[in-house]
Amino acid sequence: MKVGFLLLAPLLLLSACRPPPPDPQAAQQIAALSARIGTLETEVAELRAGQRDSGVANADDVTARAAAQNCAIALARALELFRQGSVGSRYPTPSQVDLPDACEGQRVGWQKLEAQQYTFAVTNGDGQVLAQQSGP
């Protein structure tokens, strides 16, 4: 009997060390998660590539808006200086307006330029308003 037990004991120990059978539900969940991770990694890579491409466009847009804003501020300042030095405290007529250097290469469109008030916009080539000012 001792001999049978000695032969049977290693078999019992070996069978106890076997891994449990695979869980089909866990395998499906792991596969679904792996697929989702792959999809997310692809989306992140596409977003990063898009940011690199739009970075140049955004920089150009920011530069154009800053230049337009500088023009608008300089022109508003020039109009106010003209008004302060004029008889009757009036703004210049269109023929009296001298665009400041900051407006060189900018498109300035007047919505209103009257003796007591003005409104103008600085636009890009597509007509999109980049900056605008009005006074008083």
Side-chain angles (χ1 to χ4, degrees):
M1 179 113 168
K2 272 187 168 178
V3 174
F5 178 72
L6 289 175
L7 290 175
L8 188 58
L11 289 175
L12 289 173
L13 287 174
L14 285 175
S15 67
C17 293
R18 275 192 349 216
D23 181 5
Q25 186 177 9
Q28 289 174 349
Q29 289 174 345
I30 289 171
L33 288 173
S34 295
R36 181 69 181 140
I37 288 170
T39 301
L40 290 173
E41 286 175 341
T42 301
E43 288 176 13
V44 167
E46 289 171 357
L47 288 171
R48 285 185 179 157
Q51 285 177 340
R52 274 187 245 119
D53 294 343
S54 67
V56 173
N58 286 341
D60 290 343
D61 187 45
V62 167
T63 303
R65 287 187 184 281
Q69 190 65 36
N70 286 340
C71 169
I73 291 169
L75 181 53
R77 186 178 302 124
L79 292 172
E80 287 302 321
L81 288 172
F82 185 95
R83 184 186 64 79
Q84 290 172 3
S86 72
V87 175
S89 194
R90 66 172 186 79
Y91 292 109
T93 63
S95 63
Q96 292 174 313
V97 173
D98 287 324
L99 292 178
D101 291 342
C103 293
E104 186 176 328
Q106 300 288 333
R107 296 172 188 235
V108 177
W110 296 96
Q111 282 89 29
K112 183 185 292 187
L113 180 56
E114 299 172 350
Q116 298 305 313
Q117 56 182 281
Y118 66 89
T119 302
F120 67 88
V122 182
T123 60
N124 64 10
D126 297 332
Q128 179 186 11
V129 175
L130 301 176
Q132 62 186 60
Q133 290 279 340
S134 60

